[in-house]
Amino acid sequence: MNWFGKKKSSNTPSAVSATSNNRNGGSSHPPGATITSTANTVVNLRENIATQEKREMHLEKKVEQLVVEAKAKMAKKDKKGALFALKRKKLYEAEIDKIANIKMTLETQVMNLESAAQNAETMKAMKTGTSQMKKIRQETDIDQVDDLMDEIKEEMEMADEISMALAQPVDPLMTDEDDLLAELEELEAEDVTEQLLEPMKKMELPDVPSGELPSIPNATKEEEAELKQLEAELAGL
């Protein structure tokens, strides 16, 4: 006969073994339920923190009341009653200290859980990004990129050649430009010659004598020869 109640079945896993299985990756929860479970845990922790804060406020009011009560006892010369009130006040203050430590622990757990959940989400996003990058890299081969860049360069060079061709002036006389320049130089030379001869045309020159030039008395033979040469030249004009 079992005086302490029904014996615990050996098939039922204990809390320690369940925790150990979870740590070793043997959790029965699906991956999608982890985030929900973490959120629920954070909510429960925050509710517990709120409960502790309410209890803390209640105890602080009790401490204030006991201080007033102790002062009243002292006013009535009731030292024993005042001392008892102060003892109760110390008990409440010790309880308030415990609540403060509990709140700190709960807040720490909340922050750790939120941080862990955020890290898990970050890891999930990073894995997704890495997978997508691998997929894009597999679809985009380096040889295809090189071929594409070569095609782009060829098209740009062809576009430049077309632009240069379209920018050339259309002049049917451009091929005869050298001949035209030569003709222009000839016209300029004729204008210069006419400008040089213009003053000479305006000058009144004497008529060329038609007869023989008068002889020079006591002229030497050389002077007479020069005179005859001059007469011959005048005769030719």
Side-chain angles (χ1 to χ4, degrees), residues 80-116:
K80 186 176 180 180
L83 183 60
F84 181 73
L86 292 177
K87 288 182 179 180
R88 291 175 60 195
K89 171 179 168 293
K90 290 293 183 182
L91 291 175
Y92 287 139
E93 287 177 345
E95 190 67 20
I96 291 173
D97 291 338
K98 292 179 182 178
I99 292 174
N101 293 331
I102 293 172
K103 286 171 55 180
M104 180 61 66
T105 302
L106 293 174
E107 289 286 354
T108 303
Q109 286 183 328
V110 170
M111 286 190 294
N112 290 336
L113 282 172
E114 290 177 344
S115 178

Side-chain angles (χ1 to χ4, degrees), residues 65-227:
Q65 293 175 357
L66 289 173
V67 170
V68 174
E69 182 179 349
K71 290 180 179 180
K73 296 288 185 181
M74 287 296 296
K76 295 179 180 180
K77 305 298 181 178
D78 185 3
K79 293 183 180 181
K80 186 176 180 180
L83 183 60
F84 181 73
L86 292 177
K87 288 182 179 180
R88 291 175 60 195
K89 171 179 168 293
K90 290 293 183 182
L91 291 175
Y92 287 139
E93 287 177 345
E95 190 67 20
I96 291 173
D97 291 338
K98 292 179 182 178
I99 292 174
N101 293 331
I102 293 172
K103 286 171 55 180
M104 180 61 66
T105 302
L106 293 174
E107 289 286 354
T108 303
Q109 286 183 328
V110 170
M111 286 190 294
N112 290 336
L113 282 172
E114 290 177 344
S115 178
Q118 184 64 38
N119 291 337
E121 288 295 319
T122 303
M123 287 292 296
K124 182 179 178 181
M126 292 174 68
K127 288 182 180 179
T128 303
T130 303
S131 177
Q132 191 66 23
M133 289 178 64
K134 289 182 179 179
K135 182 179 179 181
I136 294 173
R137 180 176 54 80
Q138 292 174 356
E139 294 176 355
T140 306
D141 189 11
I142 186 64
D143 294 333
Q144 295 178 355
V145 174
D146 292 337
D147 294 340
L148 178 61
M149 294 303 298
D150 292 338
E151 291 178 2
I152 292 174
K153 290 179 181 179
E154 290 178 0
E155 292 297 329
M156 292 179 65
E157 291 176 357
M158 184 64 68
D160 291 338
E161 292 179 1
I162 294 174
S163 299
M164 293 295 293
L166 294 176
Q168 293 180 359
V170 180
D171 190 354
L173 300 177
M174 183 176 293
T175 56
D176 300 332
E177 186 174 355
D178 294 337
D179 296 337
L180 295 175
L181 290 174
E183 184 178 353
L184 180 61
E185 290 178 357
E186 292 177 359
L187 293 176
E188 290 178 351
E190 291 178 359
D191 291 340
V192 172
T193 303
E194 291 179 359
Q195 291 177 3
L196 293 175
L197 296 177
E198 186 67 24
M200 296 180 64
K201 292 180 180 179
K202 295 180 180 180
M203 294 175 61
E204 295 181 358
L205 299 176
D207 296 333
V208 178
S210 58
E212 296 181 356
L213 295 175
S215 60
I216 301 174
N218 299 324
T220 63
K221 290 181 180 181
E222 294 179 358
E223 292 176 348
E224 289 179 356
E226 292 178 359
L227 183 57

